[in-house]
Amino acid sequence: MVEIVWEFVVKEEARGQFELAYGPGGAWSKLFARCPGFRGTTLLRDTVNPRRYMAIELWDTLAQREQILVERKSEYSDLDAAFADWTETRTEAGIFRVLAEATVHPRGRTRRNKPGEARPRSRRTTR
């Protein structure tokens, strides 16, 4: 899988429109929704600078994304032009290959029991 990462600085008055368009179910993800290899988008907003966003597109392969951009060039260009009015800057941060996925469990977190399963006995002893 590959992730294409974009950084945007959005005009203050356009933040709501930008979030709707790039967020879940927005125009950007709808453009690619039924395309082979497209796995979705993630939109992140900076906690320090609320006008700064990162948009991440997830694709099975870069070749699939490039093929879709050729096939839907007109639709993509129209949407891209509309969004350009909302941003001060747009920078492709890079194209990244997913090397590994992991789930991290916080230390000290107790394991949840399945329904009907007995709770594990504590290893602590009191004297």
Side-chain angles (χ1 to χ4, degrees), residues 4 20 36 49 55 74 90 100-101 103 113:
I4 295 86
L20 285 173
N49 178 358
S74 177
R90 178 184 80 163
E101 293 183 28
T103 302
N113 294 341

Side-chain angles (χ1 to χ4, degrees), residues 109-114 117-118 120:
R109 185 174 176 192
T110 58
R111 177 174 87 84
R112 292 186 181 175
N113 294 341
K114 295 178 183 170
E117 182 180 54

Side-chain angles (χ1 to χ4, degrees), residues 16-91:
Q17 292 170 296
F18 180 86
E19 290 178 10
L20 285 173
Y22 272 94
W28 192 257
S29 61
K30 283 182 181 177
L31 175 64
F32 301 118
R34 292 189 179 90
C35 298
F38 180 69
R39 298 290 169 228
T41 59
T42 300
L43 182 63
L44 307 171
R45 184 177 59 220
D46 191 319
T47 59
V48 176
N49 178 358
R51 293 179 46 232
R52 182 174 173 241
Y53 294 83
M54 300 298 280
I56 304 166
E57 297 175 36
L58 183 62
W59 292 84
D60 286 337
T61 68
L62 189 54
Q64 288 173 312
R65 179 181 186 262
E66 290 171 352
Q67 179 63 37
I68 294 305
L69 293 179
V70 169
E71 291 174 7
R72 298 193 172 196
K73 185 177 181 176
S74 177
E75 293 171 82
Y76 177 83
S77 295
D78 291 347
L79 198 55
D80 199 39
F83 292 169
D85 291 339
W86 301 338
T87 59
E88 290 177 9
T89 62
R90 178 184 80 163
T91 307

